[in-house]
Amino acid sequence: MSGKFITLEGIDGAGKSTQLDTVQRWLEIRGVVVKRTREPGGTVLAEALRPLLLNMSMSPLSEALLVFAGRHDHVTQVIEPALARGEWVLSDRFVDASFAYQGGGRGLSQDILKTLETWVCAGFQPDLTLWFDLDPDIAAQRLARGRQEGDRFEREERTFFERVRAGYEARSHMPRVCRMDAATDPKILAEQVENVLRQAFPSLAGGA
Ligand code: TYD
C-alpha cells in the first residue's frame, strides 16, 4: 500500500506545531511509519532557501519562484519516494501556503501560482489538509507571547494576515481541506483532529 500525504496549514500563530504532534502520534500508535517534514524546507536545497525566504526582502514573484524551487526538490526527493515506500508524509505547510501567502498576502496572480503548481506538483495533491483557521488578532497575541522578534512574515501587519486567511478560505471548498477552529482549547482541538483522522482514514480508525 502506498502511503498518504497529510498537510497542516494556517496563519503564523495558529498552533499548527502542536497539532502536528497530535497527528504524528495518532498515526504512529497505529503502526504507520511517518515522514515528518516542512515547507519552506524539507531537503538540503530547500532548507538552504528557507532563511532567504524568511529574512531577505524580495518581490512577490521572486518569493513564489524560490518557494516553488524548494517545493520541486521536496516533492521529488522526499515526498514521492517516502509515499512509494509506503510511509505517510506529514508536512508543516505545502502548496496551499503559496496560494494564501504569495497569492492572498502578497497579491500575486492566481494564474502565475496555478502555472507554478502545474509545473512543480503536476497534479500531485495532499490526501488531507487540516487548515487551522484563526482570527489574526488572536494569532498575533500568541506570537507576541514569549517570542523574540519574528521573521519577515511574522512581522507583517494584521491586514496581511487577513488576506492570507482569505487566501486559505478561498481554497477551503476542496474536499481534501478540513477547516479546524484554531481558537479552540488545544486539548479539545487535538480530539477534533483525531476525529477528522478517523473519518478520513477509516481503515486505521479502529486501531489502538
Ligand atoms: P512556518 O511554518 O510559519 O515556520 P515557523 O513556524 O518556524 O515560523 O513557515 C515560515 C513562513 O513561510 C510562514 O510565515 C509562511 C511562509 N510561506 C510562504 O510564504 N509560502 C509558502 O509556500 C510556504 C510553504 C511558507
Side-chain angles (χ1 to χ4, degrees):
M1 185 182 110
S2 71
K4 302 281 185 198
F5 180 30
I6 303 173
T7 59
L8 274 69
E9 298 280 358
I11 61 171
D12 299 78
K16 272 180 299 115
S17 308
T18 311
Q19 300 307 331
L20 275 158
D21 292 342
T22 303
V23 176
Q24 181 166 7
R25 209 175 320 112
W26 191 88
L27 292 170
E28 287 179 345
I29 285 171
R30 286 158 179 81
V32 171
V33 177
V34 176
K35 173 69 194 165
R36 182 160 161 175
T37 184
R38 68 171 182 180
E39 288 198 350
T43 68
V44 174
L45 172 64
E47 289 291 337
L49 295 175
R50 181 179 168 98
L52 298 179
L53 277 160
L54 297 192
N55 302 312
M56 198 164 284
S57 169
M58 64 184 78
S59 73
L61 180 56
S62 298
E63 208 173 87
L65 291 169
L66 282 182
V67 115
F68 273 96
R71 180 164 298 133
H72 184 252
D73 204 48
H74 192 208
V75 168
T76 56
Q77 303 301 313
V78 171
I79 301 176
E80 288 183 331
L83 293 173
R85 288 193 300 270
E87 296 171 19
W88 288 42
V89 177
L90 179 55
S91 187
D92 185 346
R93 301 190 186 280
F94 190 61
V95 73
D96 300 315
S98 301
F99 282 88
Y101 280 81
Q102 281 66 54
R106 305 281 192 225
L108 196 65
S109 86
Q110 293 285 307
D111 280 354
I112 290 175
L113 290 165
K114 281 183 189 156
T115 302
L116 290 171
E117 184 187 29
T118 305
W119 284 350
V120 168
C121 305
F124 175 76
Q125 289 282 308
D127 295 288
L128 174 69
T129 298
L130 299 173
W131 166 40
F132 292 89
D133 185 29
L134 189 62
D135 183 301
D137 280 339
I138 304 177
Q141 284 163 20
R142 288 187 183 172
L143 281 180
R145 236 176 272 152
R147 292 264 312 245
Q148 296 174 345
E149 196 188 354
D151 60 46
R152 72 188 181 91
F153 290 99
E154 291 167 347
R155 290 197 303 271
E156 286 286 349
E157 57 203 26
R158 184 184 202 286
T159 50
F160 175 83
F161 289 108
E162 289 287 5
R163 295 196 301 275
V164 174
R165 186 187 197 187
Y168 278 125
E169 173 89 59
R171 295 182 62 80
S172 63
H173 64 278
M174 290 184 285
R176 70 171 166 84
V177 179
C178 185
R179 178 187 173 274
M180 310 299 302
D181 181 358
T184 309
D185 170 84
K187 273 196 181 150
I188 297 169
L189 187 57
E191 287 168 14
Q192 293 172 352
V193 165
E194 291 179 356
N195 282 337
V196 170
L197 292 170
R198 271 187 207 99
Q199 280 170 22
F201 308 112
S203 61
L204 293 180

